[in-house]
Amino acid sequence: MSRGMLLTSARQQNIQYKDRLNVAAISIPKPIPYQQSTDTFDNVTGIPGVTIFSVGFQNDLNYNRLQLGSPLNLGLGLGGVTRASPPNAATISVRNVLQTGELSVNPTATVFKDGNIKYFTALQFFLGCTDNTGENAANVAMGCGISVTGYDIYGKMVGDASYNYAPATLMQAPMARAVLPSYFVGLQNITFRISTSTITPTETALLLDNVTHINYY
């Protein structure tokens, strides 16, 4: 092979190498900022004696369709279920109709991302169930089954999961930890629903605490 041919081959290899570098540089995505948070609801201050009080926003998630359960406003479940992180919890019951306008025999509430984040991943939460027929210390723990459904930023369902709560005592029963499936990613919203109960779903309140999620900005 002549010297000229060697030089031409070297130039071609060099061009191909540069092309590979350019392609690699273009195909590497920029990292998306993210932050993991746990929503304890303990920063929410209710109004004394006002039992219907919305949770509001927590770490860029919208919990406006859930009620506050706290000692201050005599919220649901104080006697029956011990909070994972006292004193507050978020509650779902037939009372949520005041926020959603939708009356259902299976109390349901949805948590949405706010405008500050692109999407979120839901990791885990703690749950407990009580009756919703009394207030504060009058509530007792009870067994229940719930379903959780996730929806992506296009409104498509990514999947659902079911969990059961079976307290060993009627009073001061601990919450149970629920780990969500790995496909609860890229979410726009997540819906919680009371599907079964030792009495009836309409007479049951679902309590949520320490909801852990990763937000992507």
Side-chain angles (χ1 to χ4, degrees), residues 33-60:
Y34 67 90
Q35 180 176 336
Q36 180 171 318
S37 301
T38 297
D39 303 334
T40 66
F41 315 109
D42 297 332
N43 62 335
V44 184
T45 302
I47 300 174
V50 177
T51 58
I52 306 299
F53 193 90
S54 175
V55 170
F57 289 82
Q58 295 278 306
N59 295 309
D60 292 322

Side-chain angles (χ1 to χ4, degrees), residues 113-187:
K113 76 176 186 67
D114 69 11
N116 295 325
I117 62 176
K118 291 182 173 67
Y119 50 83
F120 68 97
T121 293
L123 299 177
Q124 66 175 30
F125 60 94
F126 284 77
L127 76 146
C129 285
T130 70
D131 68 284
N132 69 358
T133 55
E135 297 292 345
N136 57 78
N139 294 124
V140 296
M142 62 178 51
C144 69
I146 72 166
S147 63
V148 186
T149 308
Y151 297 87
D152 66 17
I153 57 175
Y154 305 105
K156 180 181 178 181
M157 187 179 78
V158 301
D160 55 17
S162 299
Y163 303 90
N164 293 311
Y165 179 68
T169 62
L170 294 178
M171 303 299 294
Q172 300 301 311
M175 286 184 146
R177 177 172 173 254
V179 178
L180 289 159
S182 59
Y183 49 77
F184 272 64
V185 298
L187 300 178

Side-chain angles (χ1 to χ4, degrees), residues 65-67 76 90-98 100-111 128-133 142 144-149 190-197 199-208:
R65 297 188 177 188
L66 284 75
Q67 301 291 327
L76 287 167
T91 67
I92 299 171
S93 70
V94 290
R95 302 176 185 214
N96 291 90
V97 69
L98 297 177
T100 64
E102 300 174 0
L103 183 61
S104 171
V105 295
N106 297 97
T108 303
T110 300
V111 178
C129 285
T130 70
D131 68 284
N132 69 358
T133 55
M142 62 178 51
C144 69
I146 72 166
S147 63
V148 186
T149 308
I190 184 171
T191 297
F192 297 87
R193 177 176 179 266
I194 303 174
S195 51
T196 62
S197 171
I199 44 176
T200 66
T202 54
E203 297 175 300
T204 303
L206 169 63
L207 282 69
L208 301 177

